[in-house]
Amino acid sequence: MGIIQRHNGQGLSKYKGAKGSVRFPLEKPLPYQLVSKIVEFRVAENIKQAEGKLKKKQ
């Protein structure tokens, strides 16, 4: 499931995108708060995934 589907209604629904991507229009200012939320979400997701891999190795 892509990030847009997971966070529909949190500001992402007005942007186009595919699985794992969001396309911001060039003619509008970049929504820095939204980008920050996306980055924070992805970092937490990656940490969780890495911790799961470490547990499997032990």
Side-chain angles (χ1 to χ4, degrees), residues 12-45:
L12 287 173
S13 59
K14 58 186 167 184
Y15 300 105
K16 292 182 180 181
K19 183 179 178 184
S21 68
V22 180
R23 297 173 71 186
F24 299 109
L26 295 174
E27 64 275 357
K28 293 186 179 180
L30 196 60
Y32 291 109
Q33 287 183 326
L34 180 59
V35 172
S36 293
K37 286 182 182 181
I38 293 169
V39 171
E40 289 172 7
F41 174 80
R42 291 292 294 147
V43 167
E45 195 174 58

